[in-house]
Amino acid sequence: MTDILKKPIISEKTEYLIENTNTYTFEVDKKATKVDIKNAIESMYNVVVKKVNTMNLGGGKKEMKHTNKGIIFQRTKAVKKAMITLADGDEIDFYSNI
C-alpha cells in the first residue's frame, strides 16, 4: 500500500482545494489504478473516499540546454498525480506528526 502513495502535494492551489472542496492531491505510482489509490488512502488514513481523479504529467516534453559540448535535449520527469475527494466530515491531517 505504501508503494502506491509516494508523497502528498502541498501548494497554495491544493490548500485552496482542501478548504473549499475537501480534495487532496498526492503523487502516486505510475502503474496504480484508481481502485488501488482509493484502497490505499482509505486504509492509510481511515477516511471514506468519494471520488478519485488521476492525471499523467510530463515525460514527453523535451527541454533544450546549451552546454560546452553542444545542445542537449532532456525529457521532463514523468509523474502521475491523483486528486482525491473525501466524504463530508472526513479530513487528512498532514501536520500532526511535525
Side-chain angles (χ1 to χ4, degrees), residues 32-43:
T33 63
K34 290 183 179 185
V35 175
D36 295 337
I37 296 166
K38 179 181 177 182
N39 292 336
I41 293 288
E42 286 180 344
S43 67

Side-chain angles (χ1 to χ4, degrees), residues 23-86:
T23 302
Y24 294 82
T25 308
F26 289 88
E27 184 178 326
V28 296
D29 185 32
K30 289 185 351 182
K31 296 180 182 178
T33 63
K34 290 183 179 185
V35 175
D36 295 337
I37 296 166
K38 179 181 177 182
N39 292 336
I41 293 288
E42 286 180 344
S43 67
M44 191 173 212
Y45 294 107
N46 296 324
V47 292
V48 177
V49 175
K50 189 162 55 168
K51 185 167 65 168
V52 176
N53 294 334
T54 60
M55 59 190 88
N56 291 310
L57 302 172
K61 302 173 199 159
K62 289 186 178 177
E63 204 174 275
M64 185 170 63
K65 291 187 174 185
H66 296 279
T67 63
N68 292 338
K69 295 182 180 181
I71 297 174
I72 297 174
F73 291 97
Q74 292 180 328
R75 291 189 180 271
T76 56
K77 180 181 164 191
V79 176
K80 186 171 188 177
K81 286 189 347 183
M83 297 179 73
I84 291 102
T85 304
L86 300 181

